[in-house]
Amino acid sequence: MAGPLSALEWKTTTAELELKPFQGKAELEFTFSNRTGRPVKIVDLQTSCDCLVATTDRTDYAPGAEGRLHAEFTVGDRFGLYERTVTVVTDEPGAPAKLVVKLFMPPLATLSPRTVEWPAGAEASERTVDIAIAPTLHIALGEVISTADAFTVRLETLEPGRHYRLHVAPRSTAQP
């Protein structure tokens, strides 16, 4: 159990969650109690990112009262580990409570290698990038289109919905 922070005692000050692919939002909850002998008012909730919104079940907590802070994280197109904070400011003196939200969004696919390059003047040979779809998913890749006319691309299906190989070659390496 976490110790008292500010005037409120939090059951935990860190929440961790692993998200599922294509999950648009994540919801977490922190519980707390007012262990002081006087009423405590939450006057502000500050989040470290616009992607995180925090609300409480009310703002005034009598001595001994329990409460809940609800946090909602908008995932968007993010993947990887995200750590965000919620700062809870009360009308009591002392440091505000800092709550930590840790979220992990696994990638939909992994690329190996993540980048390919050709030194200027080198042979314009083909490079490959393996695309492995996350184990819990089945994603069919159909066509690849180069966003630059300077490259040719083609997609090879190794295992439909699971594993692909992207072949990339520059038309020339005479210029960067």
Side-chain angles (χ1 to χ4, degrees), residues 102-173:
K102 293 182 181 180
L103 301 151
F104 178 71
M105 172 55 88
L108 302 178
T110 55
L111 307 178
S112 180
R114 291 187 50 84
T115 61
V116 291
E117 59 183 63
W118 295 262
E123 180 186 346
S125 59
E126 183 178 86
R127 306 270 199 271
T128 60
V129 177
D130 274 11
I131 304 168
I133 306 301
T136 59
L137 298 177
H138 184 279
I139 299 176
L141 300 181
E143 180 182 11
V144 292
I145 300 170
S146 176
T147 58
D149 288 337
F151 293 90
T152 62
V153 294
R154 71 180 168 85
L155 185 66
E156 176 185 1
T157 301
L158 301 175
E159 182 183 345
R162 307 284 314 125
H163 192 193
Y164 300 88
R165 183 165 292 140
L166 177 64
H167 298 263
V168 182
R171 295 187 192 279
S172 170
T173 61

Side-chain angles (χ1 to χ4, degrees), residues 17-129:
L17 184 62
E18 182 162 335
L19 306 173
K20 294 180 175 74
F22 302 109
Q23 184 174 341
K25 293 188 185 246
E27 297 187 27
L28 303 139
E29 193 170 84
F30 293 89
T31 58
F32 60 90
S33 58
N34 177 0
R35 296 289 183 219
T36 71
R38 59 201 169 280
V40 173
K41 180 179 184 111
I42 294 178
V43 296
D44 195 16
L45 297 173
Q46 303 163 356
T47 60
S48 61
C49 176
D50 288 345
C51 58
L52 183 63
V53 176
T55 57
T56 53
D57 53 349
R58 58 187 185 276
T59 57
D60 297 300
Y61 297 89
E66 296 185 352
R68 296 188 185 319
L69 181 141
H70 178 80
E72 185 175 280
F73 180 81
T74 301
V75 178
D77 61 356
R78 297 171 176 90
F79 69 92
L81 180 63
Y82 286 85
E83 186 172 304
R84 301 292 188 257
T85 59
V86 178
T87 302
V88 181
V89 181
T90 68
D91 61 352
E92 290 288 308
K98 293 265 188 202
L99 308 176
V100 178
V101 175
K102 293 182 181 180
L103 301 151
F104 178 71
M105 172 55 88
L108 302 178
T110 55
L111 307 178
S112 180
R114 291 187 50 84
T115 61
V116 291
E117 59 183 63
W118 295 262
E123 180 186 346
S125 59
E126 183 178 86
R127 306 270 199 271
T128 60
V129 177

